[in-house]
Amino acid sequence: MNQFYKDEWVWITGASSGIGKELVAQAYKQNAKVLLASRKIKDLDAIAKELHLEKGRYAIEKLDLEDYKSVGTFAKRCLQKYGIPKVVIHNGGISQRSLTKETDLTTLEKIMNTNFYGAAEMTRSMIPQILGKKEVHFAVISSVAGKIGSPLRSAYSASKFALVGFFHSLRSEEEKSGIFVTMIYPGFIQTNISKNALKGDGSSTGTMDSVIAAGLPVQLCAHRILHAVANKQREVVIAGIKEKFGLALQMVYPSLFFKMIQKAKVR
């Protein structure tokens, strides 16, 4: 077993479901101490019981990424309580299923605040507290949609593209100072992300996309994320053949890719 995580704090946002929940389970099995962060404290308590997490090896903290102006206070409080973590996994977020012309400004703001500003502000507020004290690894869950803009995901893609720009810049500035960044690009993963995705008016879709249901197992996704972090990979795409083909085609033949993405099944 890799000793990278042994007795080290791993902070995981969006830990109440999906990839976040599975990251908690797998990091804990690798002897990490896990900080579960989410708005849904009851769900986090239930996960701790379900996974039989032991006292002293986990912590639960409420975190509302959408209220990004409060995230700095969260980060400073956790640094004081638990010390500097070895790994911070920016996983919390929300998706979208609506045409751009049908998406309200409030919905766009909610997605950007949650997916981008929350992670950016949490990281920004930590930097003065950690530089020169300990190496910290930020694992950032972007998306294949952070490389490809596809129909019904304009706000979601924008938020994921923004994460890439922010953390690429941070990496170029501070890797020499001990801040390491792994950008993660999941494709279709079997979670409830599409059920929880927002329609243009801000309500939840409540439906599972067929492409999500047929996606990669969440267990495999979490395993690859933790493996990429432990092996200090700067980028990792965790996706099926179709998504990887799309990424390659976009680079070598963008005009053909554009025609294909207009016709692609994305639900």
Side-chain angles (χ1 to χ4, degrees):
M1 181 179 290
N2 195 312
Q3 297 298 302
F4 179 84
Y5 298 99
K6 184 175 173 59
D7 297 326
E8 296 282 358
W9 276 106
V10 176
W11 295 5
I12 302 169
T13 70
S16 60
S17 63
I19 295 172
K21 178 182 176 181
E22 187 61 29
L23 284 167
V24 170
Q26 293 194 26
Y28 186 80
K29 285 182 180 179
Q30 295 193 44
N31 296 315
K33 295 184 287 187
V34 288
L35 172 65
L36 292 72
S38 169
R39 291 181 297 112
K40 302 175 181 178
I41 294 294
K42 289 184 179 179
D43 289 351
L44 297 181
D45 287 332
I47 288 169
K49 291 180 181 178
E50 176 188 339
L51 298 178
H52 305 290
L53 304 185
E54 297 177 3
K55 187 176 181 180
R57 289 192 56 205
Y58 81 98
I60 288 174
E61 294 285 345
K62 186 171 183 178
L63 171 64
D64 184 357
L65 289 169
E66 183 184 359
D67 183 16
Y68 64 90
K69 292 184 179 179
S70 72
V71 171
T73 301
F74 161 87
K76 291 172 185 176
R77 181 178 75 248
C78 290
L79 285 170
Q80 289 178 347
K81 289 176 69 174
Y82 311 111
I84 299 174
K86 184 162 191 173
V87 179
V88 176
I89 304 180
H90 287 303
N91 168 73
I94 191 166
S95 193
Q96 168 206 13
R97 297 296 183 272
S98 60
L99 295 171
T100 305
K101 64 185 179 183
E102 297 172 351
T103 303
D104 296 343
L105 176 59
T106 53
T107 302
L108 173 60
E109 289 177 331
K110 182 180 181 71
I111 291 170
M112 287 298 299
N113 291 349
T114 303
N115 294 3
F116 172 65
Y117 283 112
E121 176 56 15
M122 180 172 166
T123 304
R124 189 197 66 80
S125 66
M126 291 178 68
I127 290 172
Q129 312 295 320
I130 63 180
L131 282 182
K133 297 178 182 177
K134 181 178 179 178
E135 291 188 358
V136 178
H137 197 128
F138 289 93
V140 186
I141 312 289
S142 178
S143 171
V144 169
K147 288 178 173 285
I148 294 174
S150 60
L152 307 178
R153 292 164 173 79
S154 56
Y156 179 70
S157 283
S159 69
K160 295 300 187 177
F161 270 83
L163 284 173
V164 176
F166 181 89
F167 281 96
H168 276 195
S169 293
L170 176 63
R171 175 195 287 153
S172 68
E173 294 168 354
E174 302 294 355
E175 186 170 282
K176 62 183 180 297
S177 303
I179 291 179
F180 198 90
V181 174
T182 295
M183 293 304 306
I184 300 149
Y185 304 94
F188 300 128
I189 309 296
Q190 294 173 5
T191 70
N192 286 329
I193 187 170
S194 57
K195 285 186 177 180
N196 298 327
L198 301 183
K199 294 190 286 188
D201 62 3
S203 61
S204 297
T205 65
T207 59
M208 173 70 77
D209 291 351
S210 60
V211 290
I212 297 293
L216 296 178
V218 69
Q219 295 85 356
L220 176 62
C221 180
H223 171 77
R224 289 187 179 176
I225 291 169
L226 294 175
H227 180 269
V229 171
N231 286 276
K232 286 205 162 186
Q233 294 177 235
R234 290 184 175 85
E235 307 265 326
V236 59
V237 175
I238 306 171
I241 294 173
K242 290 182 179 179
E243 300 100 295
K244 288 182 178 179
F245 174 73
L247 288 171
L249 186 64
Q250 183 190 42
M251 292 184 65
V252 300
Y253 203 160
S255 60
L256 177 58
F257 167 79
F258 181 69
K259 291 178 182 179
M260 291 181 63
I261 198 67
Q262 287 182 306
K263 301 175 182 179
K265 185 176 182 180
V266 293
R267 295 200 68 171

